[in-house]
Amino acid sequence: MAKICIDPGHAGGNTDPGAVNPITGLQEADINLAVAKLVKHYLEVVGYQILLTRTEQEQPETDSLGYRCRLANEWDADLVVSIHCNSATSAQANGTEIYTTVGQTLSDRLATCIINQVTATFPDLRLRADWDDGDPDKEQNFFILRYTDAPAVLLEMAFISNPKEAANLADPAWQNEMARAVARGVTDYYL
Ligand SMILES: [Zn+2]
């Protein structure tokens, strides 16, 4: 079975909490890790091999994106899925989005499979899509996407800066549904 690298964004704790909700103090790094561990679980159950680039709440060496890419590449990952929460200065900003590198690659297929499952699972979660190139992913040459050898995507699940979405991100039941959606997206990729 395929080898899937799941990348929980940010090193956590004092090293790099990622985005932080200004009212509750909820930290992106913690949410990313919780969801990533659940994705690992659901994909392992159906036989995939999984590598997490971070397994602890705070892991300073993972502050290096080069380190994360090396882990994925040396393990010879078949796919890389990076998991993040979005943030904006406006508390109104909301929705989900997924990124690939610029241009059409296998990452586009993976992104479409995952975001379709996410939006089907959460009808209230607005899709922030860029349809210019005929598919819903946005394109950015983020380091983790550019320097991993395997097709890679970066999912911004929802906005931690939005009160309603932050409450969802902190909810274990919501995290579980999100993880199942991401896992189904990966299995769809191989259909
Ligand atoms: Zn992030």
Side-chain angles (χ1 to χ4, degrees):
M1 286 289 266
K3 298 166 75 172
I4 317 296
C5 175
I6 309 292
D7 176 54
H10 308 281
N14 297 314
T15 309
D16 171 20
V20 178
N21 182 283
I23 295 156
T24 65
L26 183 69
Q27 297 191 353
E28 179 195 351
D30 292 339
I31 308 299
N32 298 344
L33 181 61
V35 173
K37 284 182 169 176
L38 288 163
V39 175
K40 175 179 191 283
H41 166 73
Y42 286 115
L43 286 173
E44 280 180 344
V45 163
V46 290
Y48 291 88
Q49 292 182 66
I50 307 297
L51 175 75
L52 291 181
T53 56
R54 175 169 64 94
T55 56
E56 308 303 321
Q57 203 168 24
E58 181 167 10
Q59 216 173 317
E61 72 274 21
T62 68
D63 201 31
S64 157
L65 294 174
Y67 169 87
R68 290 170 184 252
C69 292
R70 269 196 307 282
L71 274 187
N73 293 341
E74 285 170 8
W75 188 61
D76 206 16
D78 293 307
L79 297 178
V80 176
V81 180
S82 188
I83 295 182
H84 286 254
C85 306
N86 221 330
S87 178
T89 40
S90 165
Q92 308 302 318
N94 66 86
T96 190
E97 59 193 20
I98 196 160
Y99 286 89
T100 65
T101 48
V102 174
Q104 292 300 115
T105 65
L106 286 171
S107 302
D108 293 74
R109 171 176 168 78
L110 178 61
T112 300
C113 289
I114 290 176
I115 207 68
N116 282 349
Q117 286 289 351
V118 168
T119 53
T121 302
F122 301 104
D124 295 341
L125 190 56
R126 187 169 69 88
L127 173 61
R128 301 162 63 92
D130 172 7
W131 292 101
D132 285 353
D133 59 349
D135 55 31
D137 61 75
K138 295 188 168 188
E139 297 188 337
Q140 282 284 342
N141 281 324
F142 290 136
F143 196 99
I144 195 80
L145 303 179
R146 188 162 174 192
Y147 294 103
T148 43
D149 298 334
V153 298
L154 187 148
L155 175 66
E156 298 274 14
M157 296 181 284
F159 278 75
I160 201 168
S161 48
N162 176 294
K164 181 169 162 283
E165 294 196 353
N168 286 336
L169 286 162
D171 177 2
W174 191 95
Q175 293 171 1
N176 189 56
E177 288 308 311
M178 175 58 75
R180 292 180 59 193
V182 173
R184 285 195 300 270
V186 169
T187 57
D188 286 351
Y189 176 88
Y190 286 104
L191 288 180

